[in-house]
């Protein structure tokens, strides 16, 4: 696989190192010549230039790349590179690094980004996944913000404990793809029984996460919510009419 990486800083170099270890062809684009000497990357190809310039991308033969990764520390650059790679060169897959979480909403298909990697949000999700039991935690957003990978650690009082996968009416837009039990991954079948402290991994639409959260909420939490639900008296209802 041919991968072009815009930005050879610590993030871009780390990505390149992993890809080279897996025998992929890697070309890095960076405006600073000195990054070549300090990167320590063996086997990588280099192009010194501005990845936001069409001439640089043409010289890099971006149209021949399988994936373009925009990994600079500037969100504006990452968006422009992704957009050019997608619209001008027809690259099949683009990955954009999000530096400022406030800019996350821009990293979607309208800017040519197939996958947005929001490092601060990902780190937050991993922290939550490690400590949160009984709540749905989004780990990664896929397909330009349409779908996500989410995780749920089953608490002792969950209504799904003791039920088989096939007995549970999962939300329409959510698919259970893996169960992690005792540090071992399990490919779920209809006959697998959900147990306390199982880690369930789903691919879900963003909208479907709320339905999944409602289904998997601990029994005690559902009771609390019903008690907090306000009840309108007849005279209050009538007030809206007049």
């Amino acid at each position: 696989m041919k991968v072009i990486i815009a930005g050879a800083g610590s993030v871009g170099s780390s990505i390149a190192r992993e890809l080279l270890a897996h025998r992929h062809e890697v070309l890095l684009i960076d405006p600073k010549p000195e990054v070549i000497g300090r990167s320590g990357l063996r086997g990588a190809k280099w192009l010194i230039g501005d990845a936001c310039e069409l001439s640089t991308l043409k010289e890099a033969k971006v149209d021949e790349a399988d994936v373009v990764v925009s990994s600079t520390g500037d969100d504006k650059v990452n968006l422009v590179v992704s957009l050019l790679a997608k619209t001008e060169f027809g690259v099949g897959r683009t990955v954009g690094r999000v530096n400022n979480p406030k800019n996350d909403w821009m990293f979607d298909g309208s800017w040519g980004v197939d996958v947005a990697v929001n490092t601060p949000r990902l780190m937050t999700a991993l922290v939550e996944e490690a400590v949160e039991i009984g709540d749905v935690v989004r780990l990664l957003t896929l397909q330009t913000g349409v779908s996500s990978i989410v995780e749920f650690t089953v608490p002792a009082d969950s209504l799904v404990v003791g039920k088989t996968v096939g007995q549970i009416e999962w939300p329409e837009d959510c698919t259970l793809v893996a169960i992690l039990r005792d540090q071992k991954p399990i490919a779920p079948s209809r006959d697998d029984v959900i147990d306390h402290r199982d880690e369930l991994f789903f691919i879900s639409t963003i909208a479907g996460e709320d339905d999944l959260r409602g289904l998997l909420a601990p029994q005690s939490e559902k009771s609390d919510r019903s008690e907090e639900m306000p009840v309108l008296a007849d005279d209050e209802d009538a007030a809206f009419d007049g």
Side-chain angles (χ1 to χ4, degrees):
M1 181 172 67
K2 181 177 180 180
V3 182
I4 293 178
I5 301 174
S10 57
V11 174
S13 296
S14 296
I15 295 170
R17 189 170 293 108
E18 291 291 327
L19 291 171
L20 289 168
H22 289 85
R23 302 182 182 277
H24 295 295
E25 181 183 346
V26 177
L27 168 68
L28 293 107
I29 304 175
D30 199 281
K32 301 176 182 178
E34 60 268 24
V35 298
I36 300 177
R38 67 179 185 227
S39 70
L41 295 173
R42 295 183 179 181
K45 297 179 181 179
W46 291 86
L47 178 61
I48 301 303
D50 184 354
C52 291
E53 296 289 341
L54 275 174
S55 58
T56 301
L57 297 179
K58 288 180 180 178
E59 186 177 353
K61 298 182 178 180
V62 171
D63 57 320
E64 299 178 4
D66 297 294
V67 182
V68 168
V69 180
S70 305
S71 63
T72 77
D74 189 326
D75 286 344
K76 295 187 294 295
V77 171
N78 294 340
L79 286 170
V80 170
V81 172
S82 297
L83 183 63
L84 291 175
K86 182 65 71 172
T87 59
E88 298 294 328
F89 298 93
V91 174
R93 191 167 185 81
T94 58
V95 180
R97 173 189 175 188
V98 183
N99 297 278
N100 187 337
K102 293 182 179 179
N103 296 329
D104 189 40
W105 64 276
M106 297 182 67
F107 282 74
D108 59 15
S110 63
W111 277 93
V113 181
D114 292 317
V115 178
V117 180
N118 188 326
T119 304
R121 179 169 294 174
L122 179 59
M123 292 181 69
T124 300
L126 292 174
V127 170
E128 290 178 338
E129 187 269 337
V131 299
E132 291 284 348
I133 296 179
D135 194 15
V136 174
V137 177
R138 185 187 302 174
L139 299 179
L140 189 64
T141 302
L142 306 171
Q143 295 185 347
T144 64
V146 175
S147 302
S148 60
I149 296 178
V150 299
E151 183 270 352
F152 177 81
T153 301
V154 181
D157 61 346
S158 174
L159 294 175
V160 300
V161 171
K163 292 185 178 180
T164 65
V165 171
Q167 290 175 326
I168 301 170
E169 294 186 12
W170 304 106
E172 183 177 351
D173 295 332
C174 301
T175 301
L176 177 64
V177 294
I179 300 173
L180 190 64
R181 180 179 297 160
D182 298 328
Q183 305 302 314
K184 296 180 181 179
I186 300 171
S189 69
R190 291 182 57 84
D191 297 325
D192 284 313
V193 178
I194 305 297
D195 198 3
H196 169 220
R197 298 195 72 85
D198 279 352
E199 293 183 58
L200 310 181
F201 292 85
F202 300 85
I203 292 181
S204 169
T205 62
I206 303 300
E209 288 182 21
D210 287 337
D211 294 333
L212 188 63
R213 188 170 284 109
L215 170 68
L216 298 174
Q219 192 168 4
S220 57
E221 185 176 324
K222 289 185 178 181
S223 299
D224 292 341
R225 288 178 181 174
S226 62
E227 291 175 1
E228 294 173 358
M229 187 70 69
V231 178
L232 293 178
D234 292 339
D235 56 344
E236 290 179 310
D237 289 331
F240 289 100
D241 297 328

